[in-house]
Amino acid sequence: LSWRKLRIVLALQPEVRWDRPWPRLRSVLVNGLLQQRMIRREWRPGLLHAAILLGFMSLLLRKLQLIAIGYRETATFPDAIGAFAVGPFAALKDTIELLVVVAVLYAFYRRFVARPPRLEPNREAILVLSLILAIMLTDIAFDGFRFVLMSTAVPGIAHERGWAYLG
């Protein structure tokens, strides 16, 4: 199976990829990040795919926060960007995580219940969706445990707790 695909790649001709930078950048933004082509083809699965992709991309800031917490467990965003931003960020993060969880559950529904003809329940897709769901749920649980353990002693964490409705 992989040899067939490699033969196709080997038969490809070189292509100049720096000749039209603005149309190429627009294509990356519209089709790569916003998933317009997928949404146009089938809007529900397209939105599901876009929600998962954009959810992961927007949670990169959260991963920076987790790295800071790894170095100092009481670290909060007010330490770095000001107290005004931590609450809305916590609410936005929880909203994005909730949207990604709903999108993943819808993807499981499509694979195992609705079963459209072009989707087969392959192991790789199930593994990827399961890992995405695990990342979202463990992040929500992490917040919950952190709030229970530290919100009474650390004002920044208490403030974040007031906005983080899932954790």
Side-chain angles (χ1 to χ4, degrees):
L1 181 68
S2 60
W3 179 245
R4 269 192 318 200
K5 292 180 181 182
L6 285 175
R7 240 188 327 197
I8 293 169
V9 172
L10 291 173
L12 295 175
Q13 298 298 314
E15 182 181 345
V16 178
R17 298 202 183 263
W18 54 86
D19 59 341
R20 297 172 295 137
W22 298 118
R24 288 181 185 274
L25 180 62
R26 182 183 181 284
S27 178
V28 167
L29 293 174
V30 169
N31 294 318
L33 299 178
L34 299 177
Q35 301 291 306
Q36 184 183 52
R37 190 178 302 148
M38 287 193 76
I39 293 171
R40 196 178 323 123
R41 194 176 307 149
E42 290 184 72
W43 71 273
R44 282 188 188 124
L47 284 178
L48 156 125
H49 197 269
I52 292 172
L53 177 70
L54 293 174
F56 257 95
M57 291 176 59
S58 62
L59 291 175
L60 289 175
L61 192 56
R62 169 62 170 177
K63 299 316 164 205
L64 293 175
Q65 182 186 27
L66 291 174
I67 290 170
I69 291 169
Y71 284 102
R72 197 179 92 223
E73 66 183 17
T74 60
T76 59
F77 270 140
D79 297 343
I81 60 175
F84 70 92
V86 72
F89 172 74
L92 178 66
K93 175 196 70 71
D94 278 5
T95 301
I96 290 169
E97 286 179 340
L98 181 62
L99 288 174
V100 171
V101 167
V102 168
V104 169
L105 293 176
Y106 180 63
F108 278 131
Y109 169 81
R110 282 180 43 82
R111 288 194 176 278
F112 294 114
V113 179
R115 295 182 178 180
R118 66 177 188 79
L119 268 185
E120 73 268 355
N122 63 29
R123 289 185 198 148
E124 184 178 306
I126 294 166
L127 176 65
V128 168
L129 289 171
S130 299
L131 291 173
I132 292 170
L133 185 62
I135 290 169
M136 296 300 120
L137 295 178
T138 55
D139 192 63
I140 293 166
F142 174 82
D143 272 350
F145 291 129
R146 186 168 187 247
F147 295 152
V148 167
L149 290 173
M150 306 177 98
S151 65
T152 56
V154 181
I157 294 175
H159 179 67
E160 185 179 349
R161 179 185 182 180
W163 288 77
Y165 59 90
L166 290 178

